[in-house]
Amino acid sequence: MLGAMARKTANDDVLAPVTLAVGQEDLLLDRAVREVVAAARAADADTDVRDLTPDQLQPGTLAELTSPSLFAERKVVVVRNAQDLSADTVKDVKGYLGSPAEEITLVLLHAGGAKGKGLLDAARKAGAREVACPKMTKPADRLAFVRGEFRTAGRSATPEACQALCDAIGSDLRELASAVAQLTADVEGTIDEAVVGRYYTGRAEASSFTVADRAVEGRTAEALEALRWSLSTGVAPVMITSALAQGVRAIGKLSSARGGRPGDLARELGMPPWKIDRVRQQMRGWTPDGVSVAMRAIAEADAGVKGGGDDPEYALEKAVVVIARAARSRGRG
Protein backbone atom coordinates (compact mmCIF):
# COMPACT_ATOMS: atom_id res chain seq x y z
CA MET A 1 0.00 0.00 0.00
CA LEU A 2 2.59 2.56 1.08
CA GLY A 3 4.81 1.81 -1.90
CA ALA A 4 1.93 2.30 -4.31
CA MET A 5 0.88 5.52 -2.59
CA ALA A 6 4.45 6.85 -2.54
CA ARG A 7 4.80 6.28 -6.26
CA LYS A 8 1.58 8.17 -6.93
CA THR A 9 2.16 11.01 -4.48
CA ALA A 10 5.28 12.14 -6.29
CA ASN A 11 3.15 14.20 -8.71
CA ASP A 12 -0.60 14.54 -8.31
CA ASP A 13 -1.81 12.07 -5.69
CA VAL A 14 -4.45 10.35 -7.83
CA LEU A 15 -4.88 7.78 -5.05
CA ALA A 16 -5.52 10.38 -2.35
CA PRO A 17 -8.15 9.07 0.10
CA VAL A 18 -10.74 11.48 -1.36
CA THR A 19 -10.99 13.03 -4.84
CA LEU A 20 -13.55 15.77 -5.42
CA ALA A 21 -14.55 16.33 -9.07
CA VAL A 22 -16.46 19.61 -9.29
CA GLY A 23 -18.49 20.88 -12.23
CA GLN A 24 -21.09 19.90 -14.81
CA GLU A 25 -19.01 18.85 -17.82
CA ASP A 26 -19.76 15.12 -18.19
CA LEU A 27 -16.65 14.31 -20.22
CA LEU A 28 -14.33 15.82 -17.59
CA LEU A 29 -16.23 14.19 -14.69
CA ASP A 30 -15.95 10.79 -16.42
CA ARG A 31 -12.24 11.35 -17.03
CA ALA A 32 -11.67 12.23 -13.37
CA VAL A 33 -13.28 8.91 -12.38
CA ARG A 34 -11.37 6.92 -15.04
CA GLU A 35 -8.06 8.41 -13.92
CA VAL A 36 -8.58 7.28 -10.31
CA VAL A 37 -9.83 3.82 -11.34
CA ALA A 38 -6.85 3.34 -13.70
CA ALA A 39 -4.37 4.33 -10.95
CA ALA A 40 -6.05 2.01 -8.43
CA ARG A 41 -6.02 -0.89 -10.87
CA ALA A 42 -2.37 -0.22 -11.68
CA ALA A 43 -1.63 -0.58 -7.96
CA ASP A 44 -3.94 -3.59 -7.56
CA ALA A 45 -5.49 -5.31 -10.58
CA ASP A 46 -8.30 -6.73 -8.38
CA THR A 47 -9.52 -3.30 -7.25
CA ASP A 48 -13.29 -3.34 -6.62
CA VAL A 49 -15.06 -0.32 -8.16
CA ARG A 50 -18.47 0.77 -6.86
CA ASP A 51 -20.19 3.45 -8.93
CA LEU A 52 -23.21 4.84 -7.08
CA THR A 53 -26.01 7.33 -7.71
CA PRO A 54 -27.45 9.32 -4.75
CA ASP A 55 -30.43 6.94 -4.39
CA GLN A 56 -28.03 3.98 -4.10
CA LEU A 57 -26.05 5.62 -1.27
CA GLN A 58 -28.44 5.35 1.67
CA PRO A 59 -27.51 6.12 5.29
CA GLY A 60 -25.19 3.31 6.39
CA THR A 61 -24.18 2.23 2.86
CA LEU A 62 -20.86 4.09 2.96
CA ALA A 63 -19.98 2.47 6.32
CA GLU A 64 -20.69 -0.97 4.78
CA LEU A 65 -18.61 -0.27 1.69
CA THR A 66 -15.67 1.11 3.65
CA SER A 67 -15.58 -1.34 6.56
CA PRO A 68 -12.34 -3.35 6.73
CA SER A 69 -12.55 -6.66 4.89
CA LEU A 70 -10.70 -9.90 5.60
CA PHE A 71 -8.88 -9.58 2.32
CA ALA A 72 -7.90 -5.90 2.66
CA GLU A 73 -8.93 -5.36 -0.96
CA ARG A 74 -8.45 -2.00 -2.61
CA LYS A 75 -11.71 -0.24 -3.42
CA VAL A 76 -12.77 2.82 -5.39
CA VAL A 77 -16.16 4.18 -4.31
CA VAL A 78 -17.60 6.68 -6.80
CA VAL A 79 -20.55 8.85 -5.74
CA ARG A 80 -22.22 10.69 -8.62
CA ASN A 81 -24.30 13.88 -8.18
CA ALA A 82 -23.17 14.17 -4.56
CA GLN A 83 -25.11 17.46 -4.32
CA ASP A 84 -28.32 15.35 -4.39
CA LEU A 85 -27.48 13.13 -1.38
CA SER A 86 -29.99 13.06 1.48
CA ALA A 87 -29.16 14.97 4.67
CA ASP A 88 -28.54 11.74 6.63
CA THR A 89 -26.20 10.36 3.98
CA VAL A 90 -24.32 13.70 3.87
CA LYS A 91 -23.74 13.27 7.64
CA ASP A 92 -22.27 9.81 6.94
CA VAL A 93 -19.97 11.16 4.22
CA LYS A 94 -18.83 14.11 6.38
CA GLY A 95 -18.08 11.68 9.21
CA TYR A 96 -16.08 9.48 6.84
CA LEU A 97 -14.04 12.45 5.56
CA GLY A 98 -12.60 12.88 9.05
CA SER A 99 -11.11 9.38 9.11
CA PRO A 100 -10.97 7.80 5.63
CA ALA A 101 -10.28 4.07 5.41
CA GLU A 102 -7.01 2.51 4.25
CA GLU A 103 -6.99 1.04 0.75
CA ILE A 104 -10.14 2.97 -0.21
CA THR A 105 -10.39 5.91 -2.57
CA LEU A 106 -13.63 7.89 -2.42
CA VAL A 107 -14.51 9.93 -5.52
CA LEU A 108 -17.25 12.54 -5.03
CA LEU A 109 -18.75 14.10 -8.18
CA HIS A 110 -20.41 17.42 -7.31
CA ALA A 111 -22.10 19.95 -9.61
CA GLY A 112 -20.42 22.80 -7.69
CA GLY A 113 -23.46 25.03 -7.16
CA ALA A 114 -25.21 26.14 -3.98
CA LYS A 115 -27.04 22.81 -3.61
CA GLY A 116 -25.15 20.49 -1.29
CA LYS A 117 -22.52 23.16 -0.62
CA GLY A 118 -21.99 21.93 2.94
CA LEU A 119 -20.57 18.64 1.65
CA LEU A 120 -18.40 20.46 -0.88
CA ASP A 121 -16.94 22.71 1.84
CA ALA A 122 -16.38 19.76 4.18
CA ALA A 123 -14.50 17.78 1.51
CA ARG A 124 -12.30 20.79 0.72
CA LYS A 125 -11.65 21.41 4.40
CA ALA A 126 -10.65 17.74 4.81
CA GLY A 127 -7.97 18.28 2.15
CA ALA A 128 -9.57 16.33 -0.70
CA ARG A 129 -7.73 16.31 -4.02
CA GLU A 130 -9.85 18.49 -6.33
CA VAL A 131 -10.39 18.22 -10.09
CA ALA A 132 -12.16 21.10 -11.87
CA CYS A 133 -14.76 19.92 -14.44
CA PRO A 134 -16.47 23.17 -15.52
CA LYS A 135 -19.03 23.32 -18.31
CA MET A 136 -17.29 24.92 -21.28
CA THR A 137 -19.78 27.45 -22.55
CA LYS A 138 -17.37 29.96 -24.10
CA PRO A 139 -15.77 29.36 -27.52
CA ALA A 140 -12.39 30.45 -26.05
CA ASP A 141 -12.65 27.70 -23.40
CA ARG A 142 -13.37 25.05 -26.03
CA LEU A 143 -10.46 26.29 -28.11
CA ALA A 144 -8.17 26.01 -25.07
CA PHE A 145 -9.56 22.50 -24.46
CA VAL A 146 -8.70 21.40 -28.02
CA ARG A 147 -5.17 22.83 -27.70
CA GLY A 148 -4.80 20.96 -24.41
CA GLU A 149 -5.97 17.69 -26.01
CA PHE A 150 -3.29 17.98 -28.72
CA ARG A 151 -0.67 18.83 -26.07
CA THR A 152 -1.65 15.84 -23.93
CA ALA A 153 -1.31 13.63 -27.00
CA GLY A 154 2.20 15.08 -27.51
CA ARG A 155 1.27 16.54 -30.89
CA SER A 156 1.45 20.00 -32.39
CA ALA A 157 -1.50 21.62 -34.15
CA THR A 158 -1.54 25.16 -35.55
CA PRO A 159 -3.90 27.73 -33.93
CA GLU A 160 -5.83 27.83 -37.24
CA ALA A 161 -6.27 24.04 -37.15
CA CYS A 162 -7.63 24.18 -33.58
CA GLN A 163 -10.07 26.94 -34.55
CA ALA A 164 -11.16 25.09 -37.70
CA LEU A 165 -11.84 21.96 -35.63
CA CYS A 166 -14.01 23.92 -33.16
CA ASP A 167 -15.91 25.50 -36.06
CA ALA A 168 -16.46 22.14 -37.79
CA ILE A 169 -17.41 20.07 -34.74
CA GLY A 170 -19.29 22.57 -32.57
CA SER A 171 -19.68 22.68 -28.78
CA ASP A 172 -19.82 18.98 -27.84
CA LEU A 173 -16.66 18.28 -25.81
CA ARG A 174 -16.83 14.51 -26.39
CA GLU A 175 -16.93 15.04 -30.16
CA LEU A 176 -14.03 17.50 -29.99
CA ALA A 177 -11.95 15.05 -27.92
CA SER A 178 -12.82 12.24 -30.32
CA ALA A 179 -11.86 14.38 -33.35
CA VAL A 180 -8.46 15.19 -31.82
CA ALA A 181 -7.90 11.48 -31.08
CA GLN A 182 -8.81 10.60 -34.67
CA LEU A 183 -6.47 13.20 -36.17
CA THR A 184 -3.54 12.28 -33.93
CA ALA A 185 -4.01 8.60 -34.79
CA ASP A 186 -4.27 9.14 -38.54
CA VAL A 187 -2.03 12.11 -39.35
CA GLU A 188 1.73 12.39 -38.96
CA GLY A 189 3.56 15.66 -38.27
CA THR A 190 2.00 19.01 -37.47
CA ILE A 191 -1.78 19.15 -37.89
CA ASP A 192 -2.75 22.23 -39.88
CA GLU A 193 -5.94 23.80 -41.15
CA ALA A 194 -5.76 21.97 -44.49
CA VAL A 195 -5.74 18.60 -42.71
CA VAL A 196 -8.74 19.56 -40.56
CA GLY A 197 -10.53 20.82 -43.68
CA ARG A 198 -9.91 17.54 -45.52
CA TYR A 199 -11.15 15.56 -42.56
CA TYR A 200 -14.10 17.47 -41.23
CA THR A 201 -15.50 19.90 -43.77
CA GLY A 202 -18.13 17.78 -45.42
CA ARG A 203 -17.03 14.64 -43.65
CA ALA A 204 -20.25 12.73 -44.18
CA GLU A 205 -20.54 10.86 -40.90
CA ALA A 206 -19.73 13.87 -38.72
CA SER A 207 -22.16 16.25 -40.38
CA SER A 208 -25.01 13.74 -40.87
CA PHE A 209 -24.82 12.74 -37.19
CA THR A 210 -24.94 16.43 -36.21
CA VAL A 211 -28.26 16.69 -38.11
CA ALA A 212 -29.55 13.59 -36.29
CA ASP A 213 -28.39 14.76 -32.84
CA ARG A 214 -30.04 18.18 -33.17
CA ALA A 215 -33.26 16.63 -34.54
CA VAL A 216 -33.66 14.04 -31.74
CA GLU A 217 -32.97 16.80 -29.20
CA GLY A 218 -35.96 18.72 -30.59
CA ARG A 219 -33.80 21.61 -31.83
CA THR A 220 -35.61 22.17 -35.15
CA ALA A 221 -33.85 25.33 -36.38
CA GLU A 222 -30.36 23.99 -35.62
CA ALA A 223 -31.18 20.61 -37.21
CA LEU A 224 -32.42 22.28 -40.41
CA GLU A 225 -29.35 24.52 -40.51
CA ALA A 226 -27.06 21.47 -40.09
CA LEU A 227 -29.06 19.64 -42.79
CA ARG A 228 -28.65 22.47 -45.32
CA TRP A 229 -24.94 22.75 -44.51
CA SER A 230 -24.45 18.98 -44.93
CA LEU A 231 -26.24 18.91 -48.28
CA SER A 232 -24.34 21.98 -49.51
CA THR A 233 -21.01 20.27 -48.74
CA GLY A 234 -21.95 17.20 -50.75
CA VAL A 235 -23.12 14.74 -48.09
CA ALA A 236 -25.27 12.06 -49.73
CA PRO A 237 -28.93 12.32 -48.58
CA VAL A 238 -28.95 8.56 -47.87
CA MET A 239 -26.20 9.11 -45.23
CA ILE A 240 -28.50 11.57 -43.47
CA THR A 241 -31.56 9.27 -43.42
CA SER A 242 -29.29 6.52 -42.06
CA ALA A 243 -28.01 8.80 -39.25
CA LEU A 244 -31.57 9.92 -38.41
CA ALA A 245 -32.70 6.27 -38.23
CA GLN A 246 -29.78 5.37 -35.95
CA GLY A 247 -30.50 8.33 -33.65
CA VAL A 248 -34.22 7.51 -33.25
CA ARG A 249 -33.55 3.74 -32.98
CA ALA A 250 -31.07 4.33 -30.15
CA ILE A 251 -33.74 6.28 -28.24
CA GLY A 252 -36.28 3.48 -28.81
CA LYS A 253 -33.80 0.83 -27.63
CA LEU A 254 -32.72 2.70 -24.51
CA SER A 255 -36.24 3.76 -23.49
CA SER A 256 -37.40 0.13 -23.60
CA ALA A 257 -34.29 -1.03 -21.68
CA ARG A 258 -34.66 1.50 -18.80
CA GLY A 259 -32.48 1.44 -15.71
CA GLY A 260 -29.10 -0.21 -15.32
CA ARG A 261 -25.58 1.18 -15.37
CA PRO A 262 -24.13 2.59 -18.62
CA GLY A 263 -21.56 -0.24 -18.80
CA ASP A 264 -24.20 -2.99 -18.53
CA LEU A 265 -26.58 -1.25 -20.94
CA ALA A 266 -23.72 -0.68 -23.38
CA ARG A 267 -23.09 -4.43 -23.56
CA GLU A 268 -26.79 -5.24 -23.79
CA LEU A 269 -27.58 -2.67 -26.51
CA GLY A 270 -24.27 -2.79 -28.39
CA MET A 271 -23.46 0.92 -27.87
CA PRO A 272 -20.36 2.50 -26.27
CA PRO A 273 -21.01 3.80 -22.69
CA TRP A 274 -20.56 7.49 -23.72
CA LYS A 275 -23.32 6.97 -26.31
CA ILE A 276 -25.65 5.60 -23.61
CA ASP A 277 -25.08 8.80 -21.58
CA ARG A 278 -25.78 11.01 -24.58
CA VAL A 279 -28.92 9.09 -25.67
CA ARG A 280 -30.18 9.23 -22.08
CA GLN A 281 -30.01 13.03 -22.23
CA GLN A 282 -31.62 13.11 -25.68
CA MET A 283 -34.57 10.86 -24.81
CA ARG A 284 -36.06 13.13 -22.12
CA GLY A 285 -38.93 14.49 -24.25
CA TRP A 286 -39.67 11.27 -26.14
CA THR A 287 -42.66 8.92 -25.84
CA PRO A 288 -43.09 5.47 -27.49
CA ASP A 289 -45.64 7.04 -29.89
CA GLY A 290 -43.10 9.73 -30.75
CA VAL A 291 -40.55 7.06 -31.70
CA SER A 292 -43.12 5.34 -33.99
CA VAL A 293 -44.08 8.63 -35.68
CA ALA A 294 -40.40 9.53 -36.20
CA MET A 295 -39.53 6.09 -37.68
CA ARG A 296 -42.45 6.41 -40.13
CA ALA A 297 -41.23 9.88 -41.18
CA ILE A 298 -37.70 8.48 -41.73
CA ALA A 299 -39.07 5.60 -43.86
CA GLU A 300 -40.96 8.15 -46.01
CA ALA A 301 -37.85 10.34 -46.34
CA ASP A 302 -35.77 7.29 -47.25
CA ALA A 303 -38.23 6.42 -50.03
CA GLY A 304 -38.16 10.06 -51.21
CA VAL A 305 -34.36 10.12 -51.18
CA LYS A 306 -34.03 6.83 -53.05
CA GLY A 307 -36.15 7.96 -55.98
CA GLY A 308 -39.72 7.79 -54.74
CA GLY A 309 -40.01 11.60 -54.73
CA ASP A 310 -38.83 14.55 -56.82
CA ASP A 311 -37.10 16.55 -54.10
CA PRO A 312 -34.78 14.71 -51.65
CA GLU A 313 -34.01 17.95 -49.79
CA TYR A 314 -37.68 18.60 -49.08
CA ALA A 315 -38.18 14.96 -47.99
CA LEU A 316 -35.31 15.30 -45.49
CA GLU A 317 -36.49 18.68 -44.18
CA LYS A 318 -39.96 17.26 -43.57
CA ALA A 319 -38.50 14.27 -41.67
CA VAL A 320 -36.28 16.52 -39.53
CA VAL A 321 -39.25 18.70 -38.55
CA VAL A 322 -41.37 15.63 -37.63
CA ILE A 323 -38.53 14.10 -35.58
CA ALA A 324 -37.84 17.36 -33.72
CA ARG A 325 -41.56 17.66 -32.94
CA ALA A 326 -41.67 14.03 -31.74
CA ALA A 327 -38.70 14.79 -29.45
CA ARG A 328 -40.97 17.16 -27.54
CA SER A 329 -44.01 14.86 -27.49
CA ARG A 330 -43.83 14.18 -23.73
CA GLY A 331 -44.08 17.90 -22.96
CA ARG A 332 -47.23 18.18 -25.06
CA GLY A 333 -48.78 15.12 -23.32
Side-chain angles (χ1 to χ4, degrees):
M1 161 75 183
L2 278 173
M5 285 293 278
R7 279 202 302 280
K8 294 293 171 192
T9 47
N11 43 34
D12 176 17
D13 184 0
V14 181
L15 290 180
V18 182
T19 284
L20 184 60
V22 185
Q24 294 174 46
E25 183 50 72
D26 290 341
L27 173 74
L28 301 180
L29 291 165
D30 284 349
R31 280 185 176 178
V33 171
R34 279 205 305 272
E35 185 185 24
V36 172
V37 170
R41 290 203 161 133
D44 177 356
D46 295 327
T47 294
D48 180 23
V49 178
R50 300 299 174 92
D51 197 325
L52 306 168
T53 54
D55 58 319
Q56 292 171 312
L57 194 71
Q58 296 298 325
T61 310
L62 187 62
E64 276 172 44
L65 287 173
T66 55
S67 61
S69 83
L70 278 169
F71 308 105
E73 62 185 347
R74 183 183 283 283
K75 242 183 224 169
V76 175
V77 178
V78 179
V79 180
R80 292 183 186 269
N81 298 311
Q83 72 279 358
D84 296 333
L85 290 170
S86 70
D88 287 341
T89 306
V90 167
K91 270 189 212 145
D92 278 4
V93 178
K94 283 182 176 173
Y96 176 80
L97 291 171
S99 55
E102 284 276 313
E103 295 286 337
I104 288 172
T105 304
L106 176 65
V107 185
L108 297 173
L109 274 53
H110 194 293
K115 190 178 182 189
K117 190 164 183 306
L119 178 57
L120 194 58
D121 293 343
R124 283 173 172 155
K125 198 171 170 190
R129 164 184 176 260
E130 189 166 337
V131 182
C133 306
K135 203 83 179 147
M136 297 202 181
T137 50
K138 297 193 181 105
D141 292 341
R142 291 194 288 272
L143 189 57
F145 170 78
V146 166
R147 285 190 187 129
E149 290 291 285
F150 279 117
R151 255 199 318 279
T152 304
R155 298 295 298 278
S156 61
T158 66
E160 295 79 12
C162 294
Q163 186 62 60
L165 200 56
C166 290
D167 293 345
I169 302 292
S171 59
D172 189 308
L173 229 56
R174 286 186 195 279
E175 285 185 13
L176 286 167
S178 161
V180 170
Q182 175 96 56
L183 286 167
T184 53
D186 289 5
V187 179
E188 289 179 15
T190 298
I191 291 155
D192 60 17
E193 194 177 4
V195 169
V196 174
R198 269 206 313 281
Y199 249 77
Y200 290 99
T201 307
R203 181 175 151 233
E205 301 91 330
S207 53
S208 56
F209 283 118
T210 302
V211 178
D213 281 340
R214 295 302 84 82
V216 301
E217 287 158 7
R219 290 151 68 177
T220 314
E222 289 172 53
L224 288 171
E225 188 185 335
L227 171 64
R228 286 169 199 139
W229 186 84
S230 295
L231 292 169
S232 73
T233 56
V235 176
V238 69
M239 294 288 290
I240 298 169
T241 50
S242 166
L244 290 169
Q246 280 187 48
V248 175
R249 244 186 251 119
I251 282 163
K253 272 188 188 174
L254 193 56
S255 55
S256 57
R258 291 285 179 209
R261 284 160 55 177
D264 301 331
L265 284 169
R267 279 191 293 281
E268 186 189 327
L269 303 178
M271 296 180 203
W274 65 262
K275 178 99 186 223
I276 299 277
D277 289 339
R278 176 185 292 174
V279 176
R280 230 178 217 155
Q281 286 165 357
Q282 290 175 334
M283 65 190 245
R284 284 182 188 140
W286 285 86
T287 60
D289 284 349
V291 171
S292 304
V293 168
M295 287 310 293
R296 274 200 303 278
I298 292 164
E300 282 171 28
D302 198 43
V305 159
K306 288 175 177 166
D310 298 331
D311 188 347
E313 188 169 338
Y314 172 71
L316 284 167
E317 282 186 8
K318 192 173 155 195
V320 162
V321 170
V322 172
I323 293 165
R325 196 179 297 139
R328 298 190 295 273
S329 49
R330 180 164 280 130
R332 293 201 309 275

